[in-house]
Amino acid sequence: MNPDPWLPRPYRVIGRIAETGDSATLTLAPDGDRLPEFRPGQFAMLYAHGVGEVPISVSAIPGDGTLVHTIRAVGAVSRALHDAEPGTVLGVRGPFGTAWRLDGDGDLLLVAGGIGLAPLRPVLRYALKRRSSRRVILIAGARTPADLLYRKELRGLSDPDGPEIVLTVDRGDDGWTGHVGFVTEPLATHPIDPLQTTALLCGPEPMMRFSARTLLRRGVPAERIEVSLERNMQCGTGLCGHCQFGPLLVCRDGPVAGYPVAEPLFQVKEL
Ligand SMILES: Cc1cc2nc3c(=O)[nH]c(=O)nc-3n(C[C@H](O)[C@H](O)[C@H](O)COP(=O)(O)OP(=O)(O)OC[C@H]3O[C@@H](n4cnc5c(N)ncnc54)[C@H](O)[C@@H]3O)c2cc1C
Ligand code: FES
């Protein structure tokens, strides 16, 4: 039975990992009824008591009823969630929104900017668990090496049978030996088979727009590109209209959308 989508369920923080200076990953366990399983790409409305509620994607799907979210502190609510210590009870509604396409054929190319890696991490884990002959490529960018999420986890995946991982930063530091520049630079040159590639993009809107254009130039069909849209939200259930983006309600018709649908909207200002 679907739970009442308006009723925040109590979930307790049972784990907190500081990922970067402004991002942390929380593991939440139900303090009562648990919500249905989330799919990669879907999001929860997380409520910090007395502060407010914001949409946050799942950044892992352990499958044991716990929820995992990586939160970057950018304002009052995300700061309160980011700072929540183990033992804190938060309110959770969901699962909401559309999910990434996981059952496509051919190779999987994930392109992430900043906190955009969080909603793609469950896809990476899913693809690695299935261990098919599919190539899995991750191209992820951040402002500086210190801002790159999940660095230890990604380092642990770097074996010849693992995913191809390309990390890039806007500004390097003394120890950085990887790429310096936007994700579009390695994206323009990394070997891919364009007609066999499904590309999932998540990050700031200009990053997704330029990445999609790079992929189109390389011959990846628009139908094989998906993006994750972001708009401010309130109800999460398609009723209040707060997240309207052209003809879409992002909480219901997104956040994951095919590029042919998203491309004309990237020019439209938020209502
Ligand atoms: C579907 C979806 C999934 C998301 N998943 C994650 C996630 O996994 N991890 C994560 O850290 N964040 C995620 N976000 C973004 C997160 O919801 C916002 O950072 C949060 O709403 C900011 O609220 P605030 O009250 O802390 O800050 P505010 O005071 O509301 O804003 C602080 C700054 O952030 C900007 N901002 C606020 N909300 C948004 C937004 N929705 N999109 C773009 N800019 C915004 C404001 O313009 C302002 O500059 C997601 C957003 C959506 C729509
Ligand atoms: S948040 Fe209310 S309609 Fe999308």
Side-chain angles (χ1 to χ4, degrees):
M1 193 185 71
N2 271 343
D4 178 352
W6 293 95
L7 185 68
R9 304 289 156 137
Y11 271 69
R12 191 175 293 276
V13 178
I14 57 164
R16 182 181 185 280
I17 299 170
E19 302 281 1
T20 68
D22 60 4
S23 307
T25 297
L26 302 183
T27 302
L28 310 177
D31 235 26
D33 292 346
R34 72 193 218 188
L35 292 167
E37 184 108 309
F38 285 62
R39 290 179 292 144
Q42 289 192 301
F43 67 94
M45 294 298 292
L46 293 189
Y47 175 61
H49 286 273
V51 189
E53 191 187 41
V54 291
I56 301 288
S57 308
V58 281
S59 67
I61 303 176
D64 59 359
T66 59
L67 295 174
V68 179
H69 297 279
T70 303
I71 299 144
R72 180 164 168 234
V74 296
V77 184
S78 51
R79 164 65 60 193
L81 294 169
H82 167 277
D83 290 351
E85 291 294 341
T88 309
V89 174
L90 303 173
V92 187
R93 298 190 292 127
F96 295 130
T98 52
W100 298 110
R101 192 199 310 172
L102 296 179
D103 52 2
D105 54 346
D107 302 333
L108 192 58
L109 169 61
L110 311 178
V111 185
I115 192 72
L117 184 52
L120 285 172
R121 184 166 73 150
V123 180
L124 186 64
R125 288 185 167 189
Y126 173 88
L128 295 178
K129 214 159 129 191
R130 300 236 316 190
R131 284 274 171 200
S132 62
S133 56
R134 225 175 172 191
R135 268 174 81 201
V136 180
I137 306 161
L138 169 68
I139 300 182
R143 286 169 299 189
T144 69
D147 292 313
L148 276 165
L149 290 174
Y150 318 128
R151 272 186 83 180
K152 200 166 155 210
E153 180 175 327
L154 295 179
R155 259 200 305 274
L157 298 175
S158 62
D159 71 78
D161 296 330
E164 297 160 46
I165 299 179
V166 181
L167 301 178
T168 182
V169 294
D170 300 345
R171 274 174 286 117
D173 59 20
D174 288 347
W176 181 251
T177 52
H179 284 264
V180 176
F182 296 128
V183 288
T184 43
E185 293 170 21
L187 194 58
T189 54
H190 194 84
I192 56 167
D193 180 350
L195 295 177
Q196 292 303 317
T197 296
T198 297
L200 312 183
L201 319 182
C202 192
E205 223 163 87
M207 175 241 127
M208 292 195 286
R209 209 168 52 226
F210 287 116
S211 297
R213 285 183 192 162
T214 303
L215 290 169
L216 293 174
R217 268 201 304 277
R218 295 194 68 184
V220 178
E223 297 70 34
R224 296 188 75 107
I225 303 174
E226 287 190 333
V227 297
S228 185
L229 302 172
E230 242 194 72
R231 279 297 174 272
N232 289 325
M233 292 187 182
Q234 249 169 30
C235 71
T237 61
L239 288 176
C240 73
H242 211 75
C243 65
Q244 186 164 3
F245 193 17
L248 305 184
L249 292 174
V250 172
C251 68
R252 184 193 66 191
D253 309 316
V256 176
Y259 191 63
V261 174
E263 197 270 337
L265 301 177
F266 277 155
Q267 320 300 332
V268 178
K269 290 258 182 291
E270 189 169 356
L271 293 176

